[in-house]
Amino acid sequence: MKGILVVNAFLHSGKFDEIHSWLLKAASKFNIDLELKSNADLMAEIGINFDRNKKLADFILFWDKDTKLACYLEQLDYPVFNSSRAIGICDDKALTHLCLMNSGIPMPETIIAPMTFSNIGYTNYDFLKKAAARLGFPMVVKESFGSFGQQVYLSDSYNDLLKIVKSIGAKPFIMQKFIRTSFGRDIRLQVVGDKVIAAMYRYSETGDFRANISNGGRMKAYTPSHEQCQLALKSCQVIGLDFAGVDILFGENDEPIVCEVNSNAHFKNIYDCTGINAAEAIIEHIYKRMNIEKQ
């Protein structure tokens, strides 16, 4: 079996390279010839004559957010893991909440900021007063596109909110009710297929309301409850994910609240914390899916 691991041509860091190498190593254990190619190697070529029957691989493991390329490869009938639709939903925090809103999945109360244009920006900020009346303070503000807890802000007052939004500019963002009982703590559940394969409790000891490890948070192995697992699995099923990292907050009575769903969750930290290798689970899942489809 042959596969292609798609990565971003312009994103270079040891953290990403390590994830890629783990996936390649895991593939070799299943006798899968997994070739690494960038989104610049596989540019979408529409309307150009080529042999559609000449397949480069049996499947695509898409470890990037170039959803247009993922969609293009799907149009060429390649099985793509995760799908372009699922990656796109997870990449946009507003779309994530819209996708989950009718599924009975508890989430923080959320207001999506009105869209504006990059060459115009916001000509008035009256909508912020309505959001403040609905959500109160402190209020969480998140840029729709961002990772590792970055582009996430906590506003304590209307003036603070206005300052944050002006700094964001015309970029899309959401506003959320602050879950006080989850200040500086959450859990990350690693989902592959229909299983939660690992979980870790993340917490901040620096006074930061975010618990992300990349922001200085700490971690320890965690045994999730049945309710937490079912919530993570349902979130992935609704979005259509083969694998993901689901971040869950603690409600007033420790009830689980979905914070974010990450289609290409980095799993080095959860491996260091639990000893469970998500790369092997992901490759095994794809291997089984591909063999089932051949039958």
Side-chain angles (χ1 to χ4, degrees), residues 50 75 89 101-102 114 134 186 192 223 266 281:
F50 61 93
Q75 294 294 316
I89 290 170
M101 67 177 286
N102 288 331
R134 296 278 191 177
D186 67 11
V192 179
T223 302
H266 282 250

Side-chain angles (χ1 to χ4, degrees), residues 143-178:
E143 295 183 29
S144 292
F145 301 94
S147 303
F148 306 114
Q150 299 172 15
Q151 296 86 40
V152 178
Y153 318 94
L154 189 64
S155 61
D156 293 313
S157 66
Y158 179 78
N159 287 337
D160 196 23
L161 173 63
L162 184 60
K163 181 179 178 181
I164 290 169
V165 171
K166 285 184 176 180
S167 72
I168 291 173
K171 290 179 285 187
F173 67 95
I174 63 174
M175 296 164 281
Q176 292 185 318
K177 190 174 187 66
F178 180 53

Side-chain angles (χ1 to χ4, degrees), residues 12 38 43 51 63 81 95 106 147 166 175 187 236 259 289:
H12 302 288
S38 76
M43 290 188 299
D51 185 359
W63 211 264
F81 305 90
L95 278 181
S147 303
K166 285 184 176 180
M175 296 164 281
I187 56 172
C236 291
C259 178
R289 278 280 307 273

Side-chain angles (χ1 to χ4, degrees), residues 62-248:
F62 208 87
W63 211 264
D64 191 23
K65 295 183 178 181
D66 191 340
T67 53
K68 294 180 181 67
L69 175 60
C71 182
Y72 169 76
L73 293 168
E74 289 165 346
Q75 294 294 316
L76 296 179
D77 296 326
Y78 287 102
V80 178
F81 305 90
N82 281 301
S83 71
S84 61
R85 176 183 179 275
I87 294 171
I89 290 170
C90 290
D91 190 33
D92 184 334
K93 294 178 177 62
L95 278 181
T96 302
H97 291 287
L98 284 169
C99 182
L100 298 177
M101 67 177 286
N102 288 331
S103 302
I105 292 173
M107 300 177 288
E109 294 176 29
T110 300
I111 295 176
I112 299 173
M115 189 209 78
T116 187
F117 299 92
S118 59
N119 62 327
I120 297 175
Y122 290 110
T123 56
N124 71 74
Y125 295 91
D126 292 345
F127 67 95
L128 294 180
K129 295 177 182 178
K130 181 179 179 180
R134 296 278 191 177
L135 301 175
F137 293 102
M139 181 197 299
V140 176
V141 179
K142 296 181 179 179
E143 295 183 29
S144 292
F145 301 94
S147 303
F148 306 114
Q150 299 172 15
Q151 296 86 40
V152 178
Y153 318 94
L154 189 64
S155 61
D156 293 313
S157 66
Y158 179 78
N159 287 337
D160 196 23
L161 173 63
L162 184 60
K163 181 179 178 181
I164 290 169
V165 171
K166 285 184 176 180
S167 72
I168 291 173
K171 290 179 285 187
F173 67 95
I174 63 174
M175 296 164 281
Q176 292 185 318
K177 190 174 187 66
F178 180 53
I179 309 300
R180 296 176 183 272
T181 48
S182 204
F183 183 96
R185 65 186 187 123
D186 67 11
I187 56 172
R188 161 64 61 86
L189 277 66
Q190 188 78 38
V191 175
V192 179
D194 59 356
K195 295 180 181 179
V196 174
I197 65 164
M200 64 178 174
Y201 177 81
R202 305 186 299 189
Y203 59 101
S204 172
E205 295 182 330
T206 64
D208 195 324
F209 75 100
R210 300 163 298 178
N212 303 74
I213 306 303
S214 55
N215 289 327
R218 306 190 69 177
M219 60 187 178
K220 61 182 179 181
Y222 181 82
T223 302
S225 68
H226 176 74
E227 186 180 7
Q228 289 166 337
C229 289
Q230 290 303 112
L231 191 57
L233 291 171
K234 185 175 181 180
S235 298
C236 291
Q237 290 163 2
V238 171
I239 295 173
L241 290 155
D242 286 279
F243 47 84
V246 182
D247 297 340
I248 292 181

Side-chain angles (χ1 to χ4, degrees), residues 20-30 34 277 279-280 283:
H20 304 157
S21 67
W22 282 27
L23 290 166
L24 294 170
K25 184 177 180 180
S28 67
K29 292 185 177 182
F30 288 86
L34 187 62
N277 189 338
E280 293 183 358
I283 294 297

Side-chain angles (χ1 to χ4, degrees), residues 239-290:
I239 295 173
L241 290 155
D242 286 279
F243 47 84
V246 182
D247 297 340
I248 292 181
L249 304 174
F250 296 90
E252 189 172 339
N253 298 304
D254 275 353
E255 70 275 12
I257 299 172
V258 170
C259 178
E260 293 183 9
V261 184
N262 306 276
S263 61
N264 295 57
H266 282 250
F267 43 76
K268 174 63 164 58
N269 287 333
I270 209 163
Y271 172 79
D272 290 341
C273 186
T274 68
I276 296 172
N277 189 338
E280 293 183 358
I282 289 168
I283 294 297
E284 182 178 11
H285 169 75
I286 294 173
Y287 179 81
K288 289 179 177 178
R289 278 280 307 273
M290 292 301 299

